[in-house]
Amino acid sequence: MSTQISYQEFLNDFRNTIVSATARLRNIPETQSGQKSAPDEWSAKETIGHLIDSAANNHQRFVRAQFTDDLVFTGYEQDQWINSQMYRDESWSEVIQLWSSYNLHLVHVASAIPEDVLTKPRSRHTLDQIAFYLVDKNDPTTLEYLIRDYLDHLRHHLDQLFAEVTK
C-alpha cells in the first residue's frame, strides 16, 4: 500500500498513474481490447469497464464520507455491473476516455478533502468487506486509507491488463 509517501505525493502519483496508463491503453488496438484470454476472464475493455464502475462507486464514497462519522458502504456485484453495461460493445477509445476523465476528477475530489476529514479515525466501517486491502472490523480506519486503497486496486487491475496484452 502507498502509505509511505505524503498525501500530496500520493495525489501526484495518482494523477501520473492515470496519465501514463491512458497513453498505454490508447496503444492497444480496438480488436485486441475486446479479446479474452479465457472465457471466464475479462477483456481489456471489460477490465477498464470494471475500473469505471469502481470509480463510480468510490466517487460517492469519497464524497459521502466527508459528511458522516463512519465509512459504512455497500459493495456491488462487479460481474453483473460489467455484463449489464455491455462494455464489450462500446468503443475502446470512449471507454478509455471515460475511465481517464473520471479518475482525473477523483484526483481533484481527493485533493479538495480537508485534512481533518481525511485523517479522522472511523470506528464504524465496512472496509473489512469492500477494501482491496481489508481492514479488521475492530480497527479504526480513515478516508485517506480508503482513497489510497482505491489506487492500489486500480493499479492491480492495470498491471494485470498490461501483462495480459503484452503476452
Side-chain angles (χ1 to χ4, degrees):
M1 176 162 251
S2 56
T3 55
Q4 305 306 321
I5 59 175
S6 75
Y7 192 66
Q8 187 57 53
E9 289 171 313
F10 164 79
L11 291 172
N12 292 338
D13 191 36
F14 189 173
R15 173 175 291 284
N16 291 338
T17 297
I18 302 311
V19 171
S20 65
T22 299
R24 288 182 72 188
L25 290 167
R26 287 187 175 135
N27 288 328
I28 300 170
E30 175 81 33
T31 53
Q32 188 179 6
S33 73
Q35 295 173 352
K36 295 182 175 205
S37 60
D40 60 337
E41 298 289 326
W42 291 334
S43 66
K45 210 182 274 191
E46 290 169 324
T47 298
I48 297 301
H50 166 66
L51 292 176
I52 292 167
D53 298 341
S54 178
N57 277 274
N58 281 286
H59 178 202
Q60 56 91 21
R61 291 171 181 162
F62 298 170
V63 173
R64 290 175 190 211
Q66 295 180 60
F67 312 109
T68 64
D69 290 327
D70 63 41
L71 295 173
V72 176
F73 306 108
T74 59
Y76 65 99
E77 299 296 327
Q78 58 191 25
D79 288 324
Q80 290 176 340
W81 277 59
I82 288 172
N83 292 335
S84 68
Q85 295 176 82
M86 299 179 71
Y87 286 110
R88 64 187 165 274
D89 296 337
E90 197 164 354
S91 156
W92 178 227
S93 64
E94 289 177 9
V95 170
I96 295 168
Q97 186 60 48
L98 176 57
W99 173 80
S100 181
S101 295
Y102 209 151
N103 277 283
L104 290 174
H105 178 64
L106 288 183
V107 172
H108 170 74
V109 169
S111 72
I113 301 170
E115 184 177 356
D116 62 321
V117 174
L118 198 62
T119 59
K120 176 183 176 180
R122 318 290 179 98
S123 296
R124 290 188 58 238
H125 64 81
T126 52
L127 275 65
D128 61 313
Q129 300 165 38
I130 65 166
F132 184 63
Y133 292 114
L134 301 175
V135 177
D136 188 282
K137 184 74 175 163
N138 299 314
D139 292 341
T141 191
T142 64
L143 177 54
E144 181 177 357
Y145 180 90
L146 177 63
I147 294 168
R148 288 178 185 255
D149 185 72
Y150 169 79
L151 182 58
D152 289 334
H153 169 259
L154 183 147
R155 282 190 173 139
H156 167 77
H157 284 293
L158 288 175
D159 290 347
Q160 286 181 321
L161 184 155
F162 291 130
E164 188 59 39
V165 298
T166 58
K167 280 186 180 176

